[in-house]
Amino acid sequence: MNAIEKLEKLLDREQFEKIKALNNPELHEFLAEWIEWLEPDKVFVCTDSPEDEAYVKWKALYYGEEKMLETPNHTVHYDNYYDQARDKANTKLLVPGGKAIPFLNTKDRDEGLREIRELMKGVMKGKELFVCFFVLGPRNSVFTIPAVQLTDSAYVAHSEFILYRKGYEEFKRLGRNARFFRFVHSEGELDDRKTSKNLDRRRIYIDLLDETVYSVNTQYGGNTIGLKKLAFRLTIQRAVREGWLSEHMFLMRVNGPDGRKTYFTGAYPSMCGKTSTAMISWENIVGDDLSFIVPVNGVARGANVEKGVFGIIQGVNPEDDPIIWEILHSPVEIIFSNVLVKDGKPYWNEMGVPIPDEGENHSGKWWRGKKDAEGNEIPPSHKNARFTVSLEHFPNVDLEALENPCGVEVGGMIFGGRDKDTWPPVREAFNWRHGIVTMGAALESETTAATLGKEGVRAFNPMAILDFMSVPLGEYLRNYLDFEKKLRKAPKIFAVNYFLRDENGNWLNHKLDKGVWLKWMELRVHGDVGAIETPIGYIPKYADLARLFKEVLDREYTREEYEKQFTIRVPELLAKIERIETIYREKVGEVPEELFQVLEEERKRLLEARERYGDYISPFALEEKL
C-alpha cells in the first residue's frame, strides 16, 4: 500500500482531499508514517482558509488549553509549573555516531530516533491531531522555507497561526519542489489543569539529517512551537551549507534625514536591550527576533523569518514600553501565557500598576506569599511569562518591508553586549572582517544578579547564537567571513553597549540614549558624518552627538558625559582579547586563522596607543590627532 492509499484509510474524506491536493509524495509518506504511528482519534488538516484557523482557535478553548479573558480576542494559556522554559538538557541534536561538538548538545542519531519513536508510539490515542502548513520568511520569495507541523496541541497550532505565515498554498504551488522542514509534537498526557504531565519524559530532538524536529511531553512554546527556535537550528545548518546567514537578529528601520529609510539587523544576548531597541517608538520594527540575510545581486538583503512576536512580558510597563503596553490593552488577538489572572484580567510582574493579592496563575490558585514544593515564594506571574501577538497590530510596524518578497537592503548590522567597564556605547568596525571578529565573534554578556545569581560573570555568546548553534562554531564563523565575498557592498558593522558604569556603579547611559546611537549609525552608513579613529574602530565626534541628543531627545549632552562614555579603556580591552582568544584556542575546533590575526592586530593597536596616551584614552585626545 503506498502512502496516498494509506492516508485515504487514515483520514476522513474532507481531510484526505486537502492532503491529496498537495502534489508531494515525500510529504505524503511523512504524514502517512506519523499519523499511523501517533494513532490520533481524529485528524484535522489546516489549509490557509480563515475557517480552518478559526477551528484551531476554537479547539484551544474547547480542549481547555486556553481560557477566554475579559477583553475580546484575549486568551490565557498555562504551562505546567515545571515546564516554563526551554529544556536545554533534553534538547539534543541528533548526529550520526553522536559525535561530540564543542558547545553543542549532541546524541547518537539512531539511539535518539529509537527513543523518540518509543515515547511517541500511540501518544495521541483519544486526541485530535492538527496538521498545519506554514512558511519561514515571506511567501514565494528567495527567503521562503516551507514547513509542516504535526501537533496534538491546539495552543501550539494557534500560536503558530499568529507567529508565522500560512503555507498550505505554498506547498500547493511548490509541489514536488518543496524542500520542507518537519515538526512532530505531542504534549503527551495532560493533568487536571490541561498541562503536560510526564515531564521526566520530556524530549526535544533535532534530526539534522532529515531536517525534522521531534518534541514530546511539553507545552512550553520554546520547546514546542516548531518554527521558532527549533527550526532555527535547521536554518542555521542550511544557511552555512548554502552560504547565507540565519541569525538571532531583530530587523528594524531607522529613519534618516529627508525621509531616508535605512535597515539594520541586531544581535544581542538576553537582557542586553535587543527588544527595547527594535521597539523604539520613533523608528519602525520589521521583526524582533530572527532574520534571514541572503546575498541577492551582490547586496545583503534581510527578511523577518516570522510575522509575530512571542515576547517576554515581565517588566512591560506604560512608561518604558508604550507601544507594547497599548497593544496588550487593545482587543487584538493575543495569547497571554503563565501570567496572573484576576476577574478576567491579566497581570504580570513589574507592570507598573498594582497587582491583586490573589488570582490564578501558572501554579493554580495563587495568593501573595504562596510557596512551591521547594519552599520558593511564587511570584504573580512567571519571570518567563509571554505574550503572543501578530506584528500587524504594532502601530510602528513597517508592513511593506515585513512582507516584501525581496526583503530589504541591510545597511548595518549591530552586535550588542552587556559590560560595565569595556566597550563604549557605540562604535563602528573598520571593515567587515574586523566587525565580525571583534564585535560578533567576541560578544559577551555579563550575568545579572536578578537572574543568574552571581553578578558580573562574563558569558561568551558569539553573535548571541550559542544556545541555538547546530554546526561547529568554527564552520559558522568561516561562513560569516566568506559572506562578504558574495557582496558588492557589505553592510557596516557596529557594536553597542548600554550598560557602562562609573567607578561608583552608576549607569553612564540613560535608557533612551540608544535612540541617539541608532541615528548616528544611520548617518555613518551613508557617510553623512565623520568619526574618530581609535584602536578598536570608529567612534562618534562630540559635536555630532551633542546635535543628535538635542534633535532626538531634546537633551543637552555634556562634554563630560561624552568623555566618560567614550574613553578607550585599554586594560579592559586587552583583557577581553585575552579571554576571547583563549576560548577560541582551547574550546573551539577549526577556527578560521583570520580570527586570531584580527585579534592580534587589535592588540597591537591598543598597545601602541597605550605607549602614547596611557591606559585610559580620552576621545578628545584622539580627535586632536586627526
Side-chain angles (χ1 to χ4, degrees):
M1 191 187 299
N2 66 26
I4 204 79
E5 290 168 339
K6 202 181 277 187
L7 285 166
E8 195 165 13
K9 282 196 164 186
L10 290 166
L11 305 177
D12 68 34
R13 172 55 52 187
E14 187 185 352
Q15 306 310 316
F16 172 69
E17 291 298 334
K18 293 176 186 176
I19 294 298
K20 190 182 168 191
L22 304 177
N23 178 22
N24 191 312
E26 197 183 334
L27 173 70
H28 297 156
E29 280 169 32
F30 167 73
L31 292 175
E33 178 190 355
W34 278 98
I35 293 169
E36 189 173 49
W37 189 261
L38 298 163
E39 299 180 55
D41 276 22
K42 186 176 182 181
V43 177
F44 184 79
V45 177
C46 298
T47 67
D48 295 348
S49 75
E51 294 78 15
D52 285 1
E53 184 179 352
Y55 177 87
V56 167
K57 293 176 195 174
W58 167 246
K59 281 302 177 86
L61 294 167
Y62 179 77
Y63 289 130
E65 284 192 88
E66 294 176 37
K67 291 177 185 173
M68 284 191 280
L69 294 173
E70 183 184 58
T71 302
N73 301 310
H74 289 194
T75 59
V76 64
H77 163 81
Y78 292 114
D79 297 305
N80 185 298
Y81 185 76
Y82 298 99
D83 188 26
Q84 296 284 327
R86 282 185 286 115
D87 183 351
K88 293 185 187 181
N90 288 306
T91 300
K92 298 186 180 180
L93 299 166
L94 302 183
V95 295
K99 182 188 171 192
I101 303 170
F103 300 107
L104 307 189
N105 193 4
T106 59
K107 185 179 181 70
D108 176 65
R109 182 172 183 265
D110 293 342
E111 193 185 316
L113 289 176
R114 257 196 316 273
E115 183 188 4
I116 206 78
R117 288 184 80 88
E118 281 170 27
L119 286 169
M120 287 188 149
K121 176 66 179 162
V123 75
M124 292 189 188
K125 281 177 184 169
K127 293 184 158 197
E128 182 169 8
L129 165 62
F130 301 94
V131 179
C132 305
F133 300 93
F134 299 102
V135 296
L136 297 167
R139 282 186 286 255
N140 195 8
S141 77
V142 68
F143 304 99
T144 306
I145 299 178
V148 58
Q149 170 82 62
L150 275 58
T151 180
D152 56 8
S153 167
Y155 156 71
V156 167
H158 181 195
S159 299
E160 289 182 328
F161 273 113
I162 294 173
L163 293 170
Y164 299 97
R165 300 161 178 97
K166 296 173 184 177
Y168 179 81
E169 291 298 326
E170 274 295 279
F171 270 85
K172 196 182 269 189
R173 183 183 71 81
L174 290 164
R176 292 168 183 249
N177 296 321
R179 288 177 58 222
F180 59 95
F181 290 160
R182 309 136 206 254
F183 304 96
V184 184
H185 164 251
S186 173
E187 59 198 6
E189 193 182 345
L190 302 184
D191 58 21
D192 293 343
R193 297 194 72 222
K194 305 297 183 189
T195 71
S196 295
K197 197 172 173 179
N198 303 314
L199 299 183
D200 58 320
R201 298 200 288 278
R202 177 173 54 196
R203 300 288 185 274
I204 302 100
Y205 288 170
I206 299 153
D207 182 2
L208 294 174
L209 222 58
D210 271 355
E211 296 188 317
T212 305
V213 178
Y214 306 95
S215 169
V216 68
N217 294 316
T218 176
Q219 279 170 314
Y220 169 69
N223 299 324
T224 61
I225 297 170
L227 283 89
K228 199 161 185 61
K229 294 297 168 51
L230 303 174
F232 190 29
R233 274 81 160 197
L234 300 179
T235 60
I236 290 169
Q237 175 186 251
R238 197 181 272 196
V240 168
R241 281 181 182 164
E242 297 176 355
W244 48 281
L245 305 176
S246 170
E247 298 303 312
H248 194 200
M249 291 177 161
F250 66 58
L251 180 59
M252 70 180 296
R253 184 178 102 204
V254 178
N255 299 302
D258 303 319
R260 185 170 66 200
K261 301 173 181 180
T262 308
Y263 293 90
F264 286 82
T265 61
Y268 300 54
S270 181
M271 304 296 291
C272 289
K274 182 182 182 185
T275 303
S276 61
T277 304
M279 303 277 185
I280 207 154
S281 59
W282 53 83
E283 309 297 2
N284 295 85
I285 185 168
V286 184
D288 77 316
D289 196 25
L290 300 171
S291 294
F292 289 159
I293 305 165
V294 174
V296 181
N297 299 327
V299 174
R301 300 196 70 86
N304 182 5
V305 177
E306 310 172 292
K307 71 163 188 81
V309 175
F310 179 61
I312 292 176
I313 202 167
Q314 176 156 316
V316 171
N317 67 76
E319 191 184 342
D320 297 329
D321 313 282
I323 289 176
I324 300 174
W325 183 267
E326 181 191 328
I327 292 164
L328 295 179
H329 291 83
S330 62
V332 300
E333 185 182 1
I334 303 174
I335 307 172
F336 294 85
S337 63
N338 306 313
V339 296
L340 175 70
V341 174
K342 171 75 172 172
D343 298 330
K345 291 181 181 172
Y347 296 89
W348 53 89
N349 308 338
E350 301 165 22
M351 68 187 293
V353 302
I355 292 174
D357 292 327
E358 58 170 16
E360 185 184 3
N361 74 357
H362 54 291
S363 72
K365 186 169 169 49
W366 177 84
W367 57 91
R368 205 169 285 283
K370 182 182 180 182
K371 295 189 174 177
D372 64 17
E374 290 76 37
N376 304 307
E377 190 165 319
I378 302 169
S381 70
H382 193 274
K383 67 181 182 186
N384 198 26
R386 300 273 175 159
F387 64 94
T388 307
V389 66
S390 173
L391 273 164
E392 68 184 343
H393 302 307
F394 283 66
N396 64 332
V397 67
D398 184 336
L399 270 178
E400 189 185 338
L402 179 65
E403 294 305 339
N404 190 336
C406 300
V408 294
E409 180 174 345
V410 179
M413 295 171 76
I414 308 168
F415 294 103
R418 172 189 273 266
D419 77 66
K420 63 182 180 291
D421 61 10
T422 308
W423 280 7
V426 64
R427 75 189 193 280
E428 177 194 330
F430 294 128
N431 51 48
W432 178 267
R433 197 174 77 140
H434 177 245
I436 295 310
V437 172
T438 68
M439 297 173 181
L443 201 55
E444 293 177 300
S445 172
E446 283 184 355
T447 54
T448 58
T451 52
L452 293 165
K454 195 174 179 191
E455 189 168 5
V457 176
R458 298 175 200 265
F460 171 68
N461 195 351
M463 279 74 175
I465 209 170
L466 204 56
D467 279 359
F468 313 105
M469 197 60 79
S470 56
V471 298
L473 184 50
E475 213 177 295
Y476 168 80
L477 291 174
R478 163 54 55 216
N479 180 53
Y480 237 116
L481 290 165
D482 288 348
F483 186 73
E484 184 192 18
K485 297 170 189 169
K486 302 177 173 74
L487 305 175
R488 291 195 313 272
K489 181 177 70 169
K492 281 187 179 285
I493 309 288
F494 300 92
V496 295
N497 172 28
Y498 307 150
F499 302 96
L500 270 179
R501 295 175 185 252
D502 65 17
E503 56 280 2
N504 301 315
N506 301 310
W507 300 111
L508 292 182
N509 284 114
H510 296 280
K511 277 186 177 180
L512 288 176
D513 289 2
K514 62 176 77 76
V516 174
W517 315 143
L518 285 170
K519 293 296 192 195
W520 180 78
M521 289 185 268
E522 198 277 340
L523 294 172
R524 284 295 295 167
V525 166
H526 300 281
D528 288 353
V529 290
I532 300 168
E533 186 177 328
T534 80
I536 58 168
Y538 299 110
I539 61 170
K541 294 179 176 180
Y542 170 69
D544 293 324
L545 289 186
R547 176 176 57 81
L548 287 171
F549 266 93
K550 193 68 185 159
E551 284 175 11
V552 178
L553 301 176
D554 193 23
R555 208 177 92 211
E556 298 301 327
Y557 181 63
T558 66
R559 288 173 66 87
E560 184 189 20
E561 282 179 285
Y562 171 75
E563 188 164 32
K564 277 186 179 175
Q565 291 169 357
F566 288 92
T567 287
I568 304 301
R569 298 160 175 82
V570 177
E572 287 82 1
L573 287 159
L574 288 171
K576 181 180 176 73
I577 290 173
E578 198 67 38
R579 279 194 309 276
I580 298 302
E581 187 177 21
T582 301
I583 290 169
Y584 279 105
R585 288 207 186 276
E586 295 180 1
K587 296 185 178 176
V588 184
E590 298 179 31
V591 180
E593 193 53 40
E594 294 102 298
L595 181 131
F596 299 115
Q597 289 167 6
V598 171
L599 290 176
E600 186 54 35
E601 287 162 8
E602 185 134 301
R603 182 189 280 118
K604 277 183 181 164
R605 287 193 299 271
L606 284 163
L607 290 171
E608 284 168 13
R610 184 166 68 178
E611 283 290 308
R612 185 170 175 184
Y613 300 102
D615 278 345
Y616 296 94
I617 307 170
S618 164
F620 291 119
L622 292 170
E623 190 171 19
E624 282 169 14
K625 182 192 79 169
L626 292 176

